[in-house]
Amino acid sequence: MMHFIKKYPSLFSGLAVTVLFIFFWLIRLSFLDSVELKLYDAMMKFKGVPEQSKEIIIVDIDNTSIEKLGRWPWPRSIIADGITKISTGSPKVIGLNIILSEPEQNAGMDELNKLEANFINNLLDAAQDKGMSFIQSIDDARKNLDNDKKLSEAINHAGNVVLPVFFKDSKIVSQENNNINDPLNKYTIKNIRIPANSQTHMSDKITLPLKPFFDHAKGIGHINLGPDIDGSIRRDRLLYNYRGMYIPSYNLKLAAIYLNIPDNKIRVDLGSAVYLGNRKIPTTKLSELLICFKGHKGPFKSFSYVDVLNNKIPVNVFKDKIVLISASASGIINPLNTPTNQAMTVGEFSAQTIWAMLNKRFIHLSPWDYSAELLLILILGCLISFVLPKLKAIPSGIMLLILFAALMTGAIHFFISKNIWIRVTYPITELLLGYLVVITVNFFTTELSKEKVEYESAESNRMLGLSFQDKGMLDMAFDKFRKVPVDDEMKDIFYNLALDYERKRQFNKAAMAYRYIEQHDKKFKDVHSRIKRLMEASDKIVFGDATSGPGTLADDLLAGGAGTRPTLGRYELIKQLGKGAMGVVYLGIDPRINRKTAIKTFKFADNFEPEQIDKAKEDFFREAQIAGTLSHPNIVTIYDAGKEQDLAFIAMEYLEGHDLVKYTKKDDLLSIIKVIQYVSDIADALDYAHLKGVVHRDIKPANIMLLKSGIVKITDFGIARIATTSKTQTGIVKGTPFYMSPEQFSGDKVDGTSDIFSLGIMMFQLLTGELPFFANSPAELMNNILNMQHPDPRKYNSKIIKPLVTVIDKAMEKDKKLRYQTAGHMSSNLKEIIKKIDELVARKRSETDIK
């Protein structure tokens, strides 16, 4: 370990910083998370929408209202009068953000009750009829003082008031609502999809409005807020799980009513999204909405409550609006700290949240957010560990600035333009700290290494490098050459080394050699243009020991390069022929015997998970070996198989012709006798393969070649298995769905009868131009093949003779025990039909000649 540290101090330092930040990422440092939130707030301030909202009006219980109408809490008759005033303006919905969980304390009511009790006990009998009149007067006075009743009547009369509820958070609550008759049920969201391991905020305790208010409200919603670790409010908890019932937030309920979305049209994918009809509201894993604030002062119309009550505000301004009645006066409720306003009123916060829902202004926090953050940490760790130590001071500083700018501008761009929040504080901090550490270590190690470099002989390294280059050991040659001072002779040597890299298609290393020359002489020969050409091709060409990026494809082997023909193994590639089942197909030449060859390539990295690649390579070469044992005039011949870098390839017989797909169209059908002949030959070939223990598993017109000579050949035994040593797992399906046998769909072990079923389908299609089983979905197709009887082919082609229908029916039996047990048997029946047809044709010709 110590030897490694001494040998690669910068690498070790970079890896140590990377591991440190992976640890920080796992435990989540509150300091860095707070910095991330401050960056979030800064970006939010750039997203302001200057136009004032037209949908929402705030009626504010402000300091002026308190001064003129009296101390808080007011008699509820004042609230009732305000609701009555506002409701005359016909608003769409009124949000009354006042907790009404307890009856109003009214001293006058208490005194009246005492007076009534005293009168009844001491004076009622003596007062007689006048006493009852006095009791009625007391009752009338009580009604006039019953402000709760007045407020209840005002809410009932308005008919569109939403009231708040409040939860006390709990970590464990009941998930079942056992009381179906609970009156709270009518205000819950019932259309909930709950994925496994999903979470939401939960509570076992709720503060509800008094029953008269609760019964007359248009709806309810919770007003619980969840500050982040820095105390700021950035999100609205759209749902609470209360004993198995899902209660919407106050703001969500107001938005739904405004949009005329009934409760049964509100859908929730827990931890993913809330749907108001067709309107999708993306959420965090806890079903929270990240609010996109309007971001400037005075974004909503706001009127003082006392002005509304005193008729200073015309009620028609409320028409079809969302009216939010909330308090902002000092001492009633504390203002909220938000990204755009450190003292935002509760009413404005509700308005901001509702505005975001109505205008589809959301901040997305993708499910892969934390994974992407970890990936950035790892990528930057690799750059800090492996790239930064190799750069000089100025290039490394430029690299730092570029990476820093890329991370910041990328995060800002996605946030402002795409509404996507990407966390970059951990990667940026890692980048800055890693740069400082590696540069410091580099400085000391460089000073120490200078003495060692002086002892090496430049001529010795040059000669060793040339020797390595002659033996094809280019990497070792490059390593030696870099230890030699660069003069004109060494520039030529490096140039020739780069050309050798190009001939081996190790283009990334060629570019590296050219860049090394360019570092010392930017105008040397055509170095600059060669680097440019290699970079332009980098998204397409397969590079040496690694690819240029995720977009690199195997069909780019012919792109770019050194101007000579590229090779795979010993085969020179001429042109691309197409794309087969395994990958790209090229026309190649075997230079040893000058034979044309079809080269099929397969790139494991694009088709398998990393842990599956080794197993896939093993299967690939085993299958190529199996296919290479097949020698039949109607099966394509396999010559060779190999791999180069991340590509595997199979060299096979080059066929001049085309597949049978073109003959599956009604306007281009083959004659019936040709179909019988071709299918008979294919069946013979399959019978031969089955006897060898090989099942094709994907018989279809696209895998049958018709040569110019008139011979048919089966191609692509690439997914075959040895039947006697099959490792097919139950449920794994291979093949093309329209041609698959019932046992392929059901996951049963596949044998030669499956190829016979597929051959029957292909024969049906070649004779009719129609598929016997067709569906609009995979599930329907599976059901049809498993359970539905195929149609009579004569329905589509009346020329088909009955014996041919019998062959098709037997080949396509659902029960494979009733199917042809060998392809040879099927071929014999077809040949018998051909023989009878030939005899019938000969007889008719003879009769014609006699006449």
Side-chain angles (χ1 to χ4, degrees):
M1 183 66 179
M2 291 303 298
H3 174 73
F4 174 81
I5 296 173
K6 289 180 179 179
K7 189 173 183 180
Y8 306 105
S10 298
L11 173 60
F12 177 79
S13 301
L15 292 176
V17 170
T18 304
V19 171
L20 179 65
F21 273 84
I22 292 174
F23 175 72
F24 289 163
W25 177 83
L26 289 172
I27 65 172
R28 307 305 301 181
L29 291 179
S30 58
F31 168 73
L32 289 179
D33 286 339
S34 296
V35 173
E36 185 73 59
L37 292 174
K38 296 307 177 187
L39 176 60
Y40 177 99
D41 294 348
M43 293 187 294
M44 181 62 71
K45 291 176 181 177
F46 287 100
K47 292 182 65 64
V49 178
E51 296 81 9
Q52 197 171 58
S53 171
K54 298 179 180 179
E55 308 103 333
I56 304 169
I57 292 177
I58 301 172
V59 176
D60 192 9
I61 302 174
D62 54 8
N63 289 326
T64 302
S65 299
I66 296 298
E67 290 173 6
K68 294 183 178 181
L69 296 176
R71 293 178 60 189
W72 188 266
W74 290 336
R76 287 180 179 165
S77 58
I78 296 178
I79 305 298
D81 291 343
I83 290 176
T84 301
K85 290 277 187 186
I86 293 168
S87 65
T88 60
S90 302
K92 195 69 173 287
V93 61
I94 300 172
L96 180 60
N97 195 352
I98 300 174
I99 296 292
L100 302 170
S101 59
E102 297 179 356
E104 181 179 274
Q105 298 298 317
N106 192 318
M109 289 279 287
D110 293 340
E111 293 302 321
L112 280 176
N113 291 334
K114 291 177 182 179
L115 178 62
E116 182 183 43
N118 187 43
F119 181 79
I120 292 173
N121 293 333
N122 301 312
L123 300 172
L124 181 59
D125 292 339
Q128 297 182 354
D129 292 341
K130 291 182 179 180
M132 294 305 298
S133 177
F134 183 72
I135 293 293
Q136 182 61 45
S137 296
I138 291 176
D139 190 52
D140 291 341
R142 184 187 293 112
K143 289 180 180 178
N144 289 333
L145 292 174
D146 191 352
N147 292 329
D148 282 348
K149 185 174 182 181
K150 292 178 183 178
L151 180 55
S152 175
E153 290 173 349
I155 292 172
N156 184 36
H157 177 74
N160 60 353
V161 178
V162 174
L163 297 177
V165 299
F166 189 80
F167 291 104
K168 183 176 180 182
D169 282 358
S170 305
K171 292 186 177 179
I172 301 176
V173 300
S174 170
Q175 291 297 313
E176 296 183 3
N177 178 17
N178 297 319
N179 188 359
I180 303 302
N181 297 319
D182 190 324
L184 197 58
N185 253 326
K186 68 177 181 179
Y187 294 125
T188 62
I189 299 176
K190 299 178 176 62
N191 193 354
I192 305 277
R193 189 179 72 84
I194 307 177
N197 300 322
S198 61
Q199 302 178 24
T200 190
H201 296 283
M202 301 183 290
S203 179
D204 260 335
K205 295 181 180 180
I206 186 171
T207 301
L208 291 171
L210 293 174
K211 189 175 186 304
F213 307 143
F214 183 86
D215 291 341
H216 294 147
K218 176 72 173 179
I220 64 166
H222 75 82
I223 55 172
N224 293 68
L225 298 176
D228 288 317
I229 58 174
D230 61 349
S232 288
I233 307 294
R234 299 176 177 85
R235 59 194 77 205
D236 186 31
R237 299 175 175 181
L238 297 186
L239 287 176
Y240 251 85
N241 179 349
Y242 174 68
R243 299 181 180 179
M245 295 181 286
Y246 289 87
I247 310 299
S249 73
Y250 173 77
N251 303 318
L252 178 63
K253 187 63 180 178
L254 287 167
I257 294 174
Y258 181 79
L259 294 171
N260 297 316
I261 306 296
D263 290 342
N264 62 355
K265 293 294 184 181
I266 300 177
R267 298 182 294 111
V268 176
D269 285 344
L270 210 61
S272 175
V274 174
Y275 296 86
L276 295 180
N278 294 326
R279 186 184 300 260
K280 180 181 179 181
I281 302 174
T283 68
T284 66
K285 292 180 180 179
L286 287 173
S287 294
E288 299 167 325
L289 165 65
L290 287 171
I291 305 163
C292 187
F293 293 87
K294 282 177 69 66
H296 76 292
K297 294 183 179 180
F300 305 97
K301 287 184 180 179
S302 180
F303 304 119
S304 177
Y305 191 91
V306 67
D307 290 341
V308 173
L309 207 61
N310 292 333
N311 298 319
K312 292 183 179 180
I313 307 300
V315 295
N316 60 356
V317 301
F318 303 123
K319 184 173 178 59
D320 295 328
K321 300 292 192 297
I322 300 174
V323 180
L324 303 176
I325 303 175
S326 61
S328 68
S330 303
I332 298 179
I333 191 167
N334 293 324
L336 304 176
N337 183 8
T338 68
T340 57
N341 187 347
Q342 294 182 350
M344 183 178 288
T345 67
V346 172
E348 184 180 338
F349 179 81
S350 291
Q352 295 272 10
T353 306
I354 296 167
W355 173 85
M357 295 183 196
L358 299 183
N359 292 276
K360 300 180 181 179
R361 302 275 292 186
F362 310 122
I363 300 300
H364 299 260
L365 187 60
S366 62
W368 42 263
D369 171 61
Y370 281 102
S371 300
E373 189 177 28
L374 176 60
L375 181 61
L376 282 174
I377 290 172
L378 293 173
I379 291 173
L380 290 176
C382 290
L383 292 174
I384 292 168
S385 303
F386 299 102
V387 178
L388 200 59
K390 298 180 180 180
L391 300 178
K392 294 183 178 180
I394 294 177
S396 63
I398 294 173
M399 175 182 167
L400 172 71
L401 293 175
I402 291 173
L403 290 174
F404 180 83
L407 288 170
M408 288 297 298
T409 56
I412 294 171
H413 168 74
F414 278 101
F415 191 90
I416 295 177
S417 302
K418 307 294 183 181
N419 297 321
I420 298 175
W421 180 21
I422 298 177
R423 304 172 195 261
V424 293
T425 299
Y426 282 79
I428 286 176
T429 308
E430 177 198 23
L431 176 64
L432 297 175
L433 181 61
Y435 174 80
L436 291 175
V437 170
V438 171
I439 291 299
T440 302
V441 171
N442 254 357
F443 174 78
F444 288 107
T445 55
T446 300
E447 292 299 317
L448 292 173
S449 64
K450 283 182 178 179
E451 294 181 4
K452 182 178 179 181
V453 171
E454 292 174 355
Y455 288 103
E456 293 191 35
S457 168
E459 183 62 23
S460 174
N461 283 322
R462 187 180 72 84
M463 295 303 295
L464 278 173
L466 290 173
S467 176
F468 288 140
Q469 185 177 0
D470 288 340
K471 296 176 182 179
M473 303 164 70
L474 304 183
D475 291 343
M476 297 182 70
F478 193 20
D479 183 61
K480 290 298 179 183
F481 290 153
R482 284 188 297 184
K483 297 177 182 179
V484 180
V486 179
D487 54 17
D488 290 340
E489 182 183 2
M490 282 306 301
K491 292 173 190 174
D492 280 321
I493 291 175
F494 274 110
Y495 189 86
N496 290 329
L497 178 67
L499 291 177
D500 283 347
Y501 272 130
E502 284 199 58
R503 294 184 187 100
K504 285 180 172 286
R505 292 186 301 108
Q506 295 179 345
F507 302 128
N508 59 334
K509 295 181 180 179
M512 184 169 60
Y514 288 133
R515 286 196 187 97
Y516 192 87
I517 299 171
E518 195 178 43
Q519 289 174 12
H520 297 85
D521 186 354
K522 293 183 178 181
K523 297 181 180 181
F524 184 78
K525 293 186 178 180
D526 59 346
V527 166
H528 181 74
S529 62
R530 283 185 173 272
I531 293 174
K532 183 178 179 181
R533 176 173 52 78
L534 289 173
M535 295 308 297
E536 288 174 351
S538 64
D539 290 335
K540 301 177 182 178
I541 303 172
V542 176
F543 273 67
D545 296 334
T547 63
S548 63
T552 302
L553 299 173
D555 56 359
D556 289 330
L557 290 175
L558 299 173
T564 59
R565 285 179 178 175
T567 61
L568 273 179
R570 70 172 187 271
Y571 302 97
E572 295 180 358
L573 303 185
I574 307 301
K575 65 178 181 178
Q576 181 177 311
L577 297 175
K579 294 187 178 181
M582 293 184 294
V584 182
V585 185
Y586 297 95
L587 173 62
I589 292 289
D590 186 344
R592 293 180 182 175
I593 54 177
N594 198 30
R595 177 175 61 190
K596 286 186 178 181
T597 309
I599 310 290
K600 282 196 174 184
T601 62
F602 188 84
K603 191 171 184 181
F604 295 103
D606 288 347
N607 296 277
F608 294 91
E609 296 297 327
E611 62 271 13
Q612 298 175 321
I613 289 179
D614 290 339
K615 176 65 167 56
K617 288 180 179 179
E618 180 184 338
D619 291 344
F620 177 89
F621 289 107
R622 183 174 64 250
E623 291 160 12
Q625 183 180 11
I626 294 166
T629 64
L630 302 178
S631 179
H632 189 277
N634 298 112
I635 297 176
V636 67
T637 302
I638 302 297
Y639 298 141
D640 191 10
K643 68 182 179 72
E644 186 167 306
Q645 298 155 30
D646 57 345
L647 282 179
F649 65 89
I650 294 178
M652 62 184 67
E653 178 183 6
Y654 173 63
L655 304 176
E656 294 188 2
H658 53 265
D659 58 39
L660 295 184
V661 173
K662 65 177 291 186
Y663 300 119
T664 60
K665 311 298 185 230
K666 285 189 175 182
D667 296 335
D668 202 13
L669 295 179
L670 295 165
S671 66
I672 292 177
I673 190 67
K674 281 191 176 294
V675 171
I676 299 173
Q677 289 171 345
Y678 293 156
V679 173
S680 175
D681 291 343
I682 294 166
D684 277 337
L686 287 174
D687 188 54
Y688 166 82
H690 295 164
L691 290 174
K692 291 281 188 178
V694 182
V695 180
H696 190 284
R697 299 169 184 260
D698 197 16
I699 293 296
K700 59 183 178 183
N703 282 338
I704 308 298
M705 289 290 292
L706 177 60
L707 307 188
K708 292 180 179 180
S709 61
I711 296 173
V712 288
K713 290 207 175 196
I714 304 173
T715 67
D716 228 346
F717 271 88
I719 58 171
R721 295 285 189 273
I722 305 174
T724 55
T725 58
S726 175
K727 295 183 180 179
T728 302
Q729 301 175 7
T730 301
I732 293 180
V733 177
K734 294 180 180 289
T736 305
F738 293 109
Y739 302 91
M740 287 169 60
S741 64
E743 53 267 29
Q744 284 176 289
F745 276 114
S746 60
D748 294 334
K749 186 175 180 179
V750 174
D751 57 22
T753 59
S754 178
D755 285 346
I756 294 171
F757 187 93
S758 300
L759 185 59
I761 293 176
M762 189 182 81
M763 186 176 182
F764 184 107
Q765 188 180 18
L766 290 172
L767 290 169
T768 64
E770 297 282 348
L771 284 164
F773 304 106
F774 190 83
N776 294 321
S777 69
E780 184 183 353
L781 177 63
M782 180 187 298
N783 179 64
N784 290 346
I785 291 178
L786 287 171
N787 302 310
M788 303 296 290
Q789 180 62 32
H790 63 272
D792 189 332
R794 290 175 296 182
K795 174 183 176 182
Y796 305 106
N797 186 349
S798 59
K799 296 179 181 179
I800 299 173
I801 58 177
K802 177 62 177 175
L804 208 51
V805 175
T806 302
V807 172
I808 293 172
D809 290 345
K810 188 171 181 63
M812 294 173 61
E813 283 285 352
K814 306 287 186 191
D815 186 349
K816 66 179 183 179
K817 293 179 181 178
L818 302 178
R819 211 177 293 159
Y820 282 112
Q821 295 303 293
T822 67
H825 186 188
M826 180 178 177
S827 176
S828 297
N829 285 357
L830 291 172
K831 289 175 181 177
E832 191 66 29
I833 292 173
I834 294 173
K835 181 180 178 181
K836 290 182 179 179
I837 291 174
D838 289 341
E839 290 174 355
L840 180 61
V841 171
R843 190 183 308 120
K844 287 186 176 181
R845 286 178 179 173
S846 177
E847 290 173 359
T848 301
D849 292 340
I850 293 172
K851 291 180 179 180

